[in-house]
Amino acid sequence: MGLLDTANVGDQYERNLIVSQKLMEDFSKISGDCNPLHTNDDFARKKGFPGRVAYGNILGLMISELVGMGLGDENVMLLSQRLDYKKPMFVGDVIVATGMVSAISITVKVVEMKLYFRNQEKVVVAKGSCSLKCL
């Protein structure tokens, strides 16, 4: 039984991630993005933030994990994703990614999901959507 057989509109799936110092360092190395907004506390404070701003594309990692591991179906691949950033994230934040099934097309074997990302204070830091192909 795959996602097309088990999912219903409104079903929700969640993943959690702590924005750690190590994650920030690893992301910087892998992406090559060494912008001081993400790597230098003093620079970020001078720009009005309480500290270094976390990389927004860390949320893309969460989408990958949600789709690849959190749905309980290995026969699913990501077709598209969209993210709209609402608030910055910082080192130490605990982010909860929620994917909610918004549409299912049996004919073309596609599941649409709305995405919400909240920090430990339940503040929405980003919203978005993704489309999944069921293989």
Side-chain angles (χ1 to χ4, degrees):
M1 296 265 278
L3 189 63
L4 280 178
D5 303 312
T6 60
N8 296 294
V9 171
D11 285 355
Q12 293 188 22
Y13 303 88
E14 284 191 355
R15 295 313 250 190
N16 299 334
L17 179 77
I18 297 172
V19 180
S20 68
Q21 173 62 35
K22 180 166 179 6
L23 177 61
M24 292 286 289
E25 290 170 1
D26 290 348
F27 192 92
S28 177
K29 287 177 190 170
I30 292 168
S31 69
D33 182 353
C34 299
N35 184 303
L37 187 62
H38 304 301
T39 61
N40 185 301
D41 280 315
D42 290 334
F43 181 88
R45 283 190 197 100
K46 288 177 185 174
K47 299 300 178 187
F49 297 102
R52 289 173 293 141
V53 176
Y55 294 98
N57 279 326
I58 286 172
L59 301 180
L61 300 173
M62 294 187 78
I63 296 170
S64 184
E65 183 189 13
L66 180 72
V67 171
M69 304 306 293
L71 302 178
D73 185 354
E74 63 188 23
N75 297 302
V76 177
M77 66 184 261
L78 193 59
L79 288 176
S80 67
Q81 67 185 36
R82 191 193 90 246
L83 285 173
D84 298 316
Y85 302 105
K86 303 297 183 186
K87 300 279 184 180
M89 302 176 297
F90 303 96
V91 174
D93 280 354
V94 177
I95 304 299
V96 177
T98 304
M100 184 179 72
V101 176
S102 57
I104 301 170
S105 176
I106 301 294
T107 307
V108 293
K109 299 181 179 180
V110 171
V111 174
E112 303 284 340
M113 296 184 86
K114 291 183 181 178
L115 301 169
Y116 303 91
F117 300 86
R118 293 177 176 85
N119 67 15
Q120 66 279 359
E121 297 167 356
K122 310 276 189 245
V123 173
V124 174
V125 297
K127 292 181 180 181
S129 61
C130 66
S131 296
L132 314 173
K133 179 71 172 177
C134 299
L135 307 173

